[in-house]
Amino acid sequence: MNSVQQEVDERSNLTNSNKFELLLFRLGVDGTSGNSELYGINVFKIREIVAMPTVTAVAGSEPHMLGVVNLRGQIIPVMDLPGIVGVKPKTGLNIMLVTEFARTTQAFAVESVDEIVRLDWSQVLSAEGSHGSGMVTSIARVDGDVQNTRLAQVLDVETILRNLSPSDGKEIDETAVGRLPLKPGTFILAADDSVVARNLIERGLEAMHAPFVMMKTGKEAWDKLNHIAEGCKAEGIPVEDRVALVLTDLEMPEMDGFTLTRLVKQDARFSKIPVVIHSSLSGKTNEDHVKGVGADAYVAKFVAEELAETIRKVLTK
């Protein structure tokens, strides 16, 4: 029992050191290269890993939706992840990854699971700008910054889900979200590594009539904040006269949202700037971590009305 508790504590404490754990798995053979590439997903999103059960097909399902399973009384949709990515399993769909994030539970069928590795976010580089489909947010250097390190593609499972749910493209109601009470001349500094998430956040902030600057990683946001601070020092004004609030995701290459929040909160220059964490990593454990690094609020992705309400409460404290 003590060893189990120690493992839980160690995993929880990773958020204090810009580290995380990545589950490595394989989907099958790529039709172009003929290789079986490594893929990864944050362990915090994994509820459980089970042998592939019998799946009940659902009439009229979207492509790559295998159907549903009854897992301990819960009906869970199952997606064909190799089919979505465009590879073919050598030995079939043998493993089911049950995930919980963005307020939902779903499962992804994969060919095999390799291992869980503990990485520093600095080992993970943004994949944006590569000629992919947008389903890969970043590339993890599994063995560190060494020659011939194994590379794992970290999948943007939120993007995958939204691509399978066309109804998520609905417009945001400006009346429902309302206008945010920002001081004139200030803006929100936001950071998220997912293209889909950034698009949703940008649309939401525009509906709230809130000026913003969007960054792709925690490190980019931290560097931007320091650059703004230098400009404010030259002008003789406090940084909060420019940055009204920092809105950050948690999972990001190079620097995660926990580290970004901790840096902001420990720096006297930024002490009056509130930080709101906006993440698909939900649940009490993650919310406790958020409180531990000093964030002013946490809101799960993505409901524009809830995001607006949370930001409004923080700004009017």
Side-chain angles (χ1 to χ4, degrees), residues 5 14 31 37 47 59 70 80 102 109 137 142 150 165 178 191-192 196 210 220 246 253 271 316:
Q5 184 59 51
L14 292 177
E37 305 292 356
R47 193 179 85 181
N70 179 25
D80 174 9
T137 58
V142 176
R150 290 174 295 164
S165 304
D192 201 298
V196 166
E220 281 190 8
V246 173
S271 60
T316 55

Side-chain angles (χ1 to χ4, degrees), residues 222-299:
W222 177 242
D223 290 345
K224 182 68 172 179
L225 196 54
N226 278 278
H227 178 72
I228 294 168
E230 290 174 6
C232 289
K233 182 179 179 181
E235 292 182 56
I237 61 173
V239 184
E240 60 268 23
D241 280 1
R242 289 287 180 268
V243 182
L245 178 139
V246 173
L247 177 67
T248 178
D249 185 23
L250 287 180
E251 297 178 281
M252 292 181 289
E254 300 183 288
M255 180 190 292
D256 67 4
F258 290 116
T259 302
L260 173 62
T261 302
R262 189 163 50 249
L263 288 173
V264 171
K265 290 301 181 179
Q266 292 176 353
D267 195 311
R269 298 172 299 170
F270 311 130
S271 60
K272 294 183 180 179
I273 299 175
V275 178
V276 172
I277 289 179
H278 184 225
S279 174
S280 61
L281 292 177
S282 55
K284 187 177 185 304
T285 300
N286 287 303
E287 292 185 29
D288 288 344
H289 293 332
V290 165
K291 293 176 183 175
V293 295
D296 295 87
Y298 166 89
V299 59

